[in-house]
Amino acid sequence: MKRDIVIYPDKRLKQHSRPVERFDAELHALLDDMYDTMVEGNGVGLAAIQIAVPLRVLIINVPVETDSEDPRVQQPMENTLEVINPVILEADGKTRYQEGCLSVPGYFEEVERFKKIKIEYQNRHGEKIILEDDDFLAIALQHEMDHLDGRLFIEKLSILKRKKFEKEWKKRQKKNL
């Protein structure tokens, strides 16, 4: 079931998410809803807080190259990484990547992140997993993990870019009213 995405500057996006303690049918339903919401929004990742659920849960699905217009073919559910209670164990190097966010629709900007990360997390059944990556997945994980701590990618922008963003965003919001 698709859920509504919380849009910036909603204060709920600043919440710190709490750890998941129960790996039950309710959590599984949340993960399934997050997948539906992410696909419907044409996103690559989604943190639970983005649908107003303050739990340390995120999903990521790096798109698959295909000729199909159907987003479910481009982002098959079996390729979705379900990450619960993630912790960064190691982080190294720096890289820059243009990011966007379902909670800040239509805005993209280059952000600096760690090039390589190693994380520990739990899957939907509570099993611990260690994952290491130095590619797009590392960027996506850091972006979504920031959400769990109440941070958005726009907070990583320089002061000048951030002021420009805020001005443009306010104009856009007034236009949409």
Side-chain angles (χ1 to χ4, degrees), residues 80-114:
T80 302
L81 188 61
E82 298 173 333
V83 179
I84 301 158
N85 299 329
V87 177
I88 293 179
L89 302 174
E90 295 174 22
D92 191 37
K94 295 285 180 195
T95 189
R96 297 188 70 75
Y97 198 86
Q98 185 166 336
E99 297 184 22
C101 181
L102 292 173
S103 290
V104 189
Y107 184 77
F108 300 89
E109 191 59 66
E110 202 170 84
V111 174
E112 186 174 282
R113 300 270 183 196
F114 289 111

Side-chain angles (χ1 to χ4, degrees), residues 3-18:
R3 298 199 196 181
D4 291 336
I5 294 174
V6 178
I7 303 296
Y8 178 82
D10 193 303
K11 290 181 183 351
R12 292 174 289 183
L13 292 169
K14 301 300 290 170
Q15 277 185 291
H16 284 255
S17 298
R18 63 186 186 281

Side-chain angles (χ1 to χ4, degrees), residues 2-132:
K2 180 192 175 297
R3 298 199 196 181
D4 291 336
I5 294 174
V6 178
I7 303 296
Y8 178 82
D10 193 303
K11 290 181 183 351
R12 292 174 289 183
L13 292 169
K14 301 300 290 170
Q15 277 185 291
H16 284 255
S17 298
R18 63 186 186 281
V20 171
E21 295 174 0
R22 292 182 18 236
F23 295 80
D24 56 11
E26 190 176 323
L27 174 65
H28 297 185
L30 171 65
L31 288 161
D32 295 343
D33 288 355
M34 288 174 66
Y35 172 79
D36 291 342
T37 305
M38 176 189 68
V39 169
E40 184 76 22
N42 244 350
V44 172
L46 186 73
I49 194 64
Q50 290 179 272
I51 57 169
V53 178
L55 289 175
R56 296 191 72 77
V57 176
L58 63 91
I59 62 170
I60 293 177
N61 192 315
V62 179
V64 175
E65 291 298 319
T66 178
D67 292 334
S68 175
E69 294 295 317
D70 183 353
R72 290 184 178 277
V73 172
Q74 295 171 14
Q75 300 180 42
M77 190 168 199
E78 60 271 10
N79 287 357
T80 302
L81 188 61
E82 298 173 333
V83 179
I84 301 158
N85 299 329
V87 177
I88 293 179
L89 302 174
E90 295 174 22
D92 191 37
K94 295 285 180 195
T95 189
R96 297 188 70 75
Y97 198 86
Q98 185 166 336
E99 297 184 22
C101 181
L102 292 173
S103 290
V104 189
Y107 184 77
F108 300 89
E109 191 59 66
E110 202 170 84
V111 174
E112 186 174 282
R113 300 270 183 196
F114 289 111
K115 169 78 176 126
K116 179 180 180 181
I117 64 167
K118 180 178 184 180
I119 67 167
E120 179 180 78
Y121 68 95
Q122 292 168 281
N123 65 15
R124 69 168 47 213
H125 306 291
E127 300 161 338
K128 288 199 175 187
I129 298 169
I130 292 182
L131 172 71
E132 202 167 332

Side-chain angles (χ1 to χ4, degrees), residues 7-10 13 99-101 103-109 152-173:
I7 303 296
Y8 178 82
D10 193 303
L13 292 169
E99 297 184 22
C101 181
S103 290
V104 189
Y107 184 77
F108 300 89
E109 191 59 66
L152 294 167
F153 82 103
I154 55 174
E155 294 173 42
K156 293 189 165 290
L157 301 178
S158 68
I159 292 171
L160 193 60
K161 283 186 178 182
R162 180 74 188 265
K163 283 183 179 180
K164 183 180 176 203
F165 160 77
E166 292 293 348
K167 187 177 176 182
E168 290 173 9
W169 189 258
K170 282 178 186 167
K171 258 192 227 176
R172 210 165 99 189
Q173 300 301 35

